[in-house]
Amino acid sequence: MTEAFTCSGIAVVARPDRFAEVCQALGELSGVQVHAQDPPSGRIVVTQVAPTTTEQADGLRRIQQIPGVLAADLVYHVCETPAGPAGE
Amino acid sequence: MSCELSRREFVIASVAAATAAALRLPAYGETTEPVEGATWEKGVCRFCGVGCGVLIGVRDGRLVAVKGDPDNPVNRGLLCAKGYANAEIHYGADRLTKPLLRMENGRWDPNGKFRPVAWERAFAEMERQFKKTYAELGPTGIAIMGSGQYTIPEGYAAVKLLKAGWRSNNIDPNARHCMASAVAAFIQTFGIDEPAGCYDDIELADTIVTWGANMAEMHPILWSRVVAHRMAHENVRVINLTTYTNRTSDAADVEIVIKPQSDLAIWNYIAREIIRRDAVDRAFVERHCVFATGPTDIGYGMRGDLKRAFEDERDTLERERRVRLTREEAIAQRLDPDDPPVVEQKHRGSAGAHWMITFEQLREALEPYTLEFVAELARGDAEESLEDFKKKLELLADHYADAARKVVSFWTMGFNQHTRGTWVNEQAYMVHLLTGKYARPGCNAFSLTGQPSACGTAREVGTFAHRLPADMVVANPKHRQRTEAVWRLPEKTLNPKVGSHITKMMRDIEDGTIRWLWVQVTNPFQSTANANHWLHAARERDVFIVVSDVYPTLSCKVADLILPSAMHWEKWGLYGNTERRTQAWRQVVDPPGEARSDVWQILEFSKRFRLREVWGRQPVPGLEAPGFESGVLPDVLEQARALGYDPDATLYDVLFATEAARAHAWPDPVARGRKNCTVEAAGLDWFPEKALFQEYVQFGRGHHHDLADFDVYFRDDVHGLRWPVIDGKETRWRFNGEYDPLVSKDTPFEFYGPALKAIPRGTLDGPTSPEKVPLPGKARSSSGPTPRRRSRRTGNTTSGCAPAGCSSTGTAAR
């Protein structure tokens, strides 16, 4: 059996004075990878992998609670499994 | 396994690239679609009132991906944590897929267990129970509880069946709980519901103030726009007024922690400062506004008597009926602070009875709200020094008073579910109007909604006990006449007596005067205050409760019959968001099992009623209206014949499958091959959702609520349109002649809302003459000034008044 797998792309906005610190904290979260950084606008592109959508939403809240994060929003969410659609 | 891993890596890399591309960040990797073979459909999120554009990915009949719509101006490609659920909400293991009836020994039994039944059996029981109650109690004995999550066609079908077919006004949405105060203030101030401005104001504002709105967590996408605007502009300021430190404070320049309820006093302080500093936009105010106030002894929401009170509620009820003013309230009302009176709440039923006052009287009313007085009253953080708190209040007043700064005030339930929610909404308008900071780009006072179509359906369609579409009301004979004309009903079919609001429906169930209830798109036995009463009533009284839902809820648990409904992307729909933007989506997947759309359920059930069963003489206890016999709705069957209706025709024939409706053929090119579960289940060759919408738009056109045609909202290049839509163009700032074509040519601003546009003159102590003065084109506001519950001053101990508002003209100051 293949494991349940969902992946989301998240736009993070960090306070410019805490940008590096936020990037580092993001990189330390399980399932999260930092892909692109744009310090002038404070924006960071991350992906988050989690078994279920519920865990994705909880994970987003975890990102929002990092000190220095002003906003973290979902951009793209894939909720299929490698073998086919997720679900029951 | 390695194949799976590489698949994962591919998905991660492509999601990252797609995300960067959506944000228009410098090119990053290759933008390959992460989901192979999916087709995409545009639509709108259903999880709050912001109205974010969503692109939903479907493959093999299943929702497999969600993305923010980068072309939608509301959210520009972003979604919040709730957006994740757009697909998964459809696939919970406990989805309802069959009608469930409480049965024992093969028959309905209120104490039986839920058993799956066929739709035919479900509707037959529902019909039998309806007809039994209708025969005994008439139109007041039955009710529908509706929703701010109704799609526009659903709400419109429900209201038409109930008001035109069953001749009842007992329909009311859950939106009453959250938005009643916002609506009352819009109608009182502007004579029309919904805000003047729109989300564009965020990027045009110099100062954004949140009042009882934790936007960072509750409206994250709008908050992201606020944050981006703040970060891009050195001069922009964000101020968060809150009763506790929350995530909104993180990005705010100033956090002002206040005591609960003290916001009323703060608004009065700001208004006082504006007048004291001579910062009033006099040209605007004099031309476009009047000041008004109203009674302060308006009571609270609980029942007026003790007959159903639980023992431990009696003291609360007594305190609601006879209020001992606090020392601060006495000061605010200019009474003796050392001997605050007990005030009998005599205007419980007439809180909106406003009258006009002069600018001088407003100034007098605001006089007690000095910085010292308000700071003592409002400081919410005991650790903060009074001097520091005062500085913050002064700074807040500076932002509102500074003619060079454009200000947006946002609020949510911190205001709207306040014990004086209408007053505090009105006060916000008062301050914005005094300074001319309303209905201008970058200037707005904005109530944020919690449900996706509380505005577009509940309020605009009018799924309320007192309303008809497009802000009309059942008590107004002209409004009934107009509605009867659009619906092709005999004269006096519509019931002029306002029905039970959602809380009163619960009380009526408790009292045994409502005995048949249909709950649609809401979970009222979970969400209505004092639920302990209603849960008991639902199970113990003689009442048949039908709940249409997608999952088992607490309301399902107390139901007699549960009907399985289609979820969001399993049906066609349109929603209207907080900024007057109407958006649409197509059905992209099938509902599971025997779940059916709410539109299908309403239409199908309407087939079970013949005109002669409902359009004969009907008792309506308490009905008193010109042209109507006391307590009775007339028999309209003769007139119905004259209109060409057979008394044996069904409500389905007369209300829904009309010739005009059937002209909207299915299949329809707008569907682009997508399915329609309503059409399929009913075996139709016409398109009910489109027919309902096209009929509905007739109400608003030419009456300040103009919408575009159904098909327009589905165009690829349309991401919703903000009404009024005139000549195909949306309106961003209503009442402002530069932007709103409905404003008369000879005036820069016109508050043209027609409701409540005449009030008597008076003083701070009450109206001085019963004669009403017409106020065409003017805004007015009345606010409840005082600390907690009462507004200001009283000449005697039984009536006081609240300060009032004004309006503005657009010129000089900026």
Side-chain angles (χ1 to χ4, degrees):
Chain A
M1 286 294 288
T2 55
E3 260 179 83
F5 161 71
T6 73
C7 176
S8 66
I10 295 167
V12 178
V13 182
R15 296 183 82 97
D17 55 332
R18 306 183 75 168
F19 191 83
E21 183 189 331
V22 167
C23 287
Q24 188 182 342
L26 285 167
E28 288 166 6
L29 294 176
S30 63
V32 170
Q33 287 179 35
V34 175
H35 295 268
Q37 304 173 13
D38 186 43
S41 66
R43 290 184 300 177
I44 305 160
V45 172
V46 306
T47 53
Q48 175 174 260
V49 168
T52 65
T53 298
T54 306
E55 285 157 282
Q56 283 285 358
D58 291 344
L60 182 67
R61 285 186 204 102
R62 176 186 61 162
I63 291 171
Q64 288 165 339
Q65 281 158 12
I66 295 173
V69 167
L70 295 178
D73 298 307
L74 170 67
V75 174
Y76 203 128
H77 176 46
V78 176
C79 43
E80 56 163 10
T81 63
E88 297 112 310
Chain B
M1 197 63 173
S2 67
C3 171
E4 188 186 325
L5 270 183
S6 69
R7 166 74 188 145
R8 277 188 185 215
E9 280 154 12
F10 167 77
V11 170
I12 292 167
S14 53
V15 164
T19 303
L23 298 179
R24 301 191 170 87
L25 283 180
Y28 172 82
E30 275 200 38
T31 49
T32 318
E33 272 295 333
V35 189
E36 292 167 64
T39 58
W40 293 87
E41 192 69 60
K42 95 181 149 90
V44 57
C45 184
R46 77 172 319 285
F47 299 115
C48 86
V50 172
C52 293
V54 172
L55 296 171
I56 194 91
V58 60
R59 190 182 59 203
D60 304 329
R62 198 172 171 95
L63 305 171
V64 291
V66 180
K67 54 185 173 182
D69 185 346
D71 296 323
N72 191 303
V74 171
N75 54 314
R76 303 163 186 177
L78 301 180
L79 295 172
C80 72
K82 287 172 277 192
Y84 276 110
N86 262 285
E88 194 173 85
I89 191 85
H90 296 70
Y91 300 122
D94 51 351
R95 242 340 257 282
L96 296 167
T97 57
K98 284 178 190 304
L100 300 170
L101 180 65
R102 279 189 188 275
M103 295 177 80
E104 193 63 50
N105 300 323
R107 301 171 61 116
W108 170 72
D109 184 319
N111 299 314
K113 289 203 167 17
F114 284 113
R115 308 276 182 212
V117 293
W119 274 101
E120 168 57 35
R121 173 76 184 91
F123 279 142
E125 191 63 43
M126 201 170 151
E127 176 192 352
R128 189 174 76 83
Q129 298 286 347
F130 181 103
K131 288 182 179 172
K132 187 182 75 179
T133 293
Y134 202 77
E136 278 173 43
L137 301 175
T140 54
I142 54 99
I144 292 178
M145 288 183 186
S147 175
Q149 294 155 59
Y150 266 148
T151 65
I152 291 171
E154 286 164 1
Y156 183 73
V159 91
K160 192 176 185 188
L161 175 60
L162 185 109
K163 298 205 175 193
W166 299 337
R167 306 175 79 189
S168 174
N169 287 316
N170 287 348
I171 181 167
D172 216 51
N174 54 10
R176 167 86 65 177
H177 297 314
C178 50
M179 303 307 292
S181 48
V183 176
F186 273 124
I187 301 278
Q188 286 282 4
T189 308
F190 305 108
I192 186 169
D193 201 358
E194 313 288 350
C198 57
Y199 301 158
D200 301 27
D201 290 314
I202 293 171
E203 286 81 10
L204 297 167
D206 300 303
T207 301
I208 293 168
V209 188
T210 50
W211 293 77
N214 180 7
M215 284 179 74
E217 290 182 82
M218 297 302 130
H219 296 92
I221 297 308
L222 293 182
W223 186 243
S224 291
R225 287 175 60 169
V226 170
V227 167
H229 179 55
R230 170 68 188 90
M231 288 182 67
H233 297 88
E234 194 56 35
N235 190 41
V236 168
R237 290 291 176 273
V238 176
I239 302 173
N240 183 30
L241 265 98
T242 177
T243 54
Y244 64 99
T245 295
N246 53 32
R247 273 196 45 230
T248 299
S249 301
D250 293 352
D253 296 281
V254 183
E255 178 198 57
I256 307 181
V257 177
I258 65 168
K259 269 188 207 148
Q261 317 262 33
S262 65
D263 41 8
L264 291 107
I266 295 172
W267 279 116
N268 279 346
Y269 158 71
I270 297 169
R272 184 181 181 279
E273 277 299 288
I274 286 165
I275 293 172
R276 191 182 69 80
R277 299 180 191 185
D278 201 17
V280 174
D281 184 340
R282 287 182 180 273
F284 182 93
V285 168
E286 282 164 16
R287 186 158 179 190
H288 304 296
C289 306
V290 296
F291 302 99
T293 192
T296 58
D297 51 348
I298 60 173
Y300 295 87
M302 291 176 79
R303 280 181 187 264
D305 58 57
L306 298 171
K307 68 178 175 180
R308 303 273 180 206
F310 296 153
E311 197 49 44
D312 56 2
E313 290 171 341
R314 289 175 167 262
D315 57 335
T316 307
L317 264 172
E318 288 295 357
R319 279 201 305 276
E320 282 200 355
R321 296 199 299 176
R322 291 167 50 79
V323 176
R324 177 171 294 282
L325 299 190
T326 63
R327 180 183 167 80
E328 290 74 22
E329 286 166 335
I331 293 170
Q333 297 186 29
R334 280 161 300 155
L335 300 168
D336 180 359
D338 295 325
D339 184 22
V342 172
V343 181
E344 196 80 39
Q345 301 294 291
K346 290 190 177 159
H347 288 87
R348 289 173 53 101
S350 51
H354 292 190
W355 60 88
M356 246 187 298
I357 56 170
T358 64
F359 180 74
E360 280 314 310
Q361 287 164 336
L362 172 68
R363 183 206 300 269
E364 190 193 341
L366 295 168
E367 197 41 43
Y369 294 90
T370 61
L371 179 61
E372 286 67 26
F373 176 66
V374 174
E376 288 270 7
L377 195 72
R379 182 172 55 133
D381 177 1
E383 312 269 285
E384 183 169 53
S385 79
L386 196 61
E387 285 314 305
D388 287 351
F389 186 70
K390 278 188 194 170
K391 283 192 193 117
K392 287 183 178 176
L393 291 185
E394 281 184 298
L395 178 126
L396 180 67
D398 292 345
H399 281 257
Y400 281 100
D402 183 348
R405 289 191 80 82
K406 297 191 286 275
V407 181
V408 172
S409 304
F410 279 119
W411 63 88
T412 316
M413 296 309 142
F415 265 29
N416 293 339
Q417 296 188 350
H418 204 293
T419 52
R420 285 295 177 259
T422 305
W423 288 0
V424 76
N425 273 261
E426 288 169 346
Q427 284 180 296
Y429 299 132
M430 167 178 69
V431 163
H432 278 264
L433 291 170
L434 272 172
T435 49
K437 296 184 184 186
Y438 194 70
R440 285 180 160 131
C443 293
N444 206 342
F446 203 108
S447 165
L448 296 164
T449 322
Q451 294 189 87
S453 209
C455 295
T457 306
R459 286 157 64 173
E460 286 302 306
V461 172
T463 64
F464 281 86
H466 65 299
R467 279 174 115 160
L468 291 166
D471 278 4
M472 294 194 292
V473 290
V474 296
N476 183 322
K478 286 187 188 137
H479 293 178
R480 291 197 306 276
Q481 206 174 29
R482 186 157 172 258
T483 306
E484 284 164 352
V486 175
W487 284 347
R488 291 199 68 237
L489 304 176
E491 194 189 342
K492 295 185 189 165
T493 304
L494 292 176
N495 179 344
K497 184 169 188 295
V498 172
S500 294
H501 54 72
I502 193 162
T503 303
K504 185 161 187 305
M505 283 180 196
M506 293 293 194
R507 291 173 185 161
D508 291 349
I509 291 170
E510 193 175 43
D511 290 345
T513 54
I514 284 180
R515 291 194 213 147
W516 185 95
L517 172 71
W518 190 355
V519 175
Q520 299 174 338
V521 208
T522 183
N523 182 10
F525 290 92
Q526 179 87 58
S527 60
T528 305
N530 288 349
N532 51 347
H533 277 265
W534 324 133
L535 289 165
H536 279 291
R539 294 302 294 137
E540 289 163 12
R541 297 291 185 272
D542 175 17
V543 55
F544 188 81
I545 298 176
V546 185
V547 175
S548 295
D549 212 327
V550 291
Y551 285 107
T553 62
L554 190 55
S555 299
C556 290
K557 199 169 173 179
V558 299
D560 295 275
L561 174 64
I562 301 169
L563 301 178
S565 292
M567 190 62 200
H568 192 71
W569 299 97
E570 295 162 357
K571 63 186 179 186
W572 286 71
L574 300 100
Y575 278 157
N577 80 352
T578 309
E579 61 161 354
R580 297 176 280 105
R581 184 187 296 271
T582 311
Q583 303 189 81
W585 69 95
R586 297 179 176 89
Q587 177 184 329
V588 291
V589 290
D590 296 330
E594 293 171 39
R596 301 276 163 82
S597 72
D598 290 85
V599 167
W600 179 85
Q601 294 175 32
I602 293 164
L603 266 53
E604 203 60 24
F605 192 55
S606 74
K607 291 178 180 169
R608 293 171 177 265
F609 298 87
R610 300 193 182 280
L611 291 187
R612 61 180 155 71
E613 295 175 295
V614 283
W615 284 9
R617 188 181 157 91
Q618 299 291 351
V620 176
L623 186 161
E624 295 294 340
F628 285 83
E629 189 183 331
S630 244
V632 174
L633 284 173
D635 184 326
V636 295
L637 288 166
E638 269 316 306
Q639 280 185 74
R641 273 198 192 89
L643 285 173
Y645 297 133
D646 178 346
D648 280 321
T650 68
L651 290 180
Y652 173 76
D653 300 327
V654 172
L655 304 181
F656 299 118
T658 62
E659 200 178 321
R662 284 182 283 110
H664 296 286
W666 182 273
D668 183 317
V670 78
R672 293 183 181 164
R674 296 284 185 196
K675 298 205 271 185
N676 182 327
C677 68
T678 307
V679 165
E680 284 175 24
L684 302 179
D685 59 358
W686 57 283
F687 189 173
E689 288 84 358
K690 182 170 175 174
L692 289 161
F693 187 82
Q694 287 300 105
E695 184 182 292
Y696 163 60
V697 298
Q698 294 174 40
F699 284 96
R701 290 186 181 164
H703 291 83
H704 313 116
H705 298 262
D706 308 66
L707 296 171
D709 282 334
F710 185 81
D711 289 3
V712 171
Y713 296 103
F714 291 90
R715 272 172 29 194
D716 289 340
D717 62 336
V718 171
H719 298 88
L721 292 170
R722 289 165 283 196
W723 62 263
V725 181
I726 310 285
D727 296 330
K729 291 197 188 73
E730 63 173 355
T731 303
R732 293 192 292 169
W733 290 280
R734 289 195 300 170
F735 316 133
N736 180 329
E738 236 180 283
Y739 303 93
D740 182 350
L742 299 180
V743 170
S744 307
K745 292 282 169 275
D746 57 348
T747 178
F749 290 87
E750 186 179 12
F751 295 96
Y752 49 67
L756 308 179
K757 268 300 202 277
I759 54 171
R761 290 184 202 281
T763 67
L764 293 181
D765 297 329
T768 47
S769 146
E771 188 194 342
K772 290 186 175 177
V773 185
L775 305 165
K778 301 266 189 179
R780 66 183 170 92
S781 71
S782 340
S783 59
T786 124
R788 297 198 166 190
R789 355 180 112 175
R790 336 215 80 229
S791 337
R792 355 194 291 244
R793 122 198 226 79
T794 71
N796 52 55
T797 55
T798 61
S799 87
C801 35
C806 53
S807 84
S808 76
T809 191
T811 60
R814 51 195 58 82

